[in-house]
């Protein structure tokens, strides 16, 4: 299993909007959601009634994984670990 420098408790949690994620990855919206569907990129977290975002440190870590040239399987394992952390921290339910 791959673990980068994950910080669970930060003084200030920063989020990336979909536009910021698309710019970081240099891809289109449909490609991003296809990656989420394939579980090689984390799901967004709910920020409000009509707003979602991605935890900035997770986006940064995913970009590092891509730069390291990890396989899709290894990325999928990492995303699964992130999602397990989300369930433990209840970020999917936080509004």
């Amino acid at each position: 299993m791959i673990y980068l420098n994950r910080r669970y408790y930060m003084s200030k949690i920063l989020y990336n909007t979909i536009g910021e994620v698309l710019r970081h990855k240099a891809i289109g919206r449909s490609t991003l959601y296809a990656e989420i569907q394939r579980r090689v990129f984390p799901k967004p977290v709910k920020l409000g009634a009509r707003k979602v975002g991605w935890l900035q440190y997770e986006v940064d870590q995913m970009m590092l994984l891509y730069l390291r040239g990890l396989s899709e399987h290894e990325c999928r394992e990492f995303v699964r670990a992130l999602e397990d952390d989300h369930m433990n921290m209840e970020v999917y339910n936080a509004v």
Side-chain angles (χ1 to χ4, degrees):
M1 176 127 347
I2 300 160
Y3 292 101
L4 296 177
N5 185 17
R6 290 196 274 167
R7 288 188 271 170
Y8 298 101
Y9 303 104
M10 296 178 286
S11 59
K12 185 174 184 183
I13 296 175
L14 302 174
Y15 294 93
N16 284 11
T17 64
I18 189 165
E20 292 167 330
V21 172
L22 296 176
R23 277 192 299 281
H24 282 304
K25 291 182 60 58
I27 59 172
R29 185 181 300 254
S30 60
T31 303
L32 175 65
Y33 281 105
E35 288 183 1
I36 293 168
Q37 188 86 23
R38 288 192 342 259
R39 299 189 72 157
V40 295
F41 198 79
K43 293 186 255 184
V45 294
K46 192 170 185 164
L47 301 175
R50 296 181 51 182
K51 186 169 185 162
V52 296
W54 285 261
L55 295 166
Q56 183 175 341
Y57 73 94
E58 290 182 0
V59 174
D60 292 343
Q61 289 182 351
M62 290 306 300
M63 297 308 292
L64 288 172
L65 292 178
Y66 297 142
L67 289 173
R68 291 171 69 186
L70 296 183
S71 70
E72 187 167 307
H73 174 73
E74 291 168 314
C75 289
R76 204 174 286 126
E77 281 185 20
F78 187 72
V79 168
R80 187 175 311 127
L82 291 176
E83 290 174 354
D84 288 346
D85 290 345
H86 288 185
M87 297 310 270
N88 292 336
M89 296 186 308
E90 298 184 20
V91 293
Y92 287 126
N93 300 324
V95 176

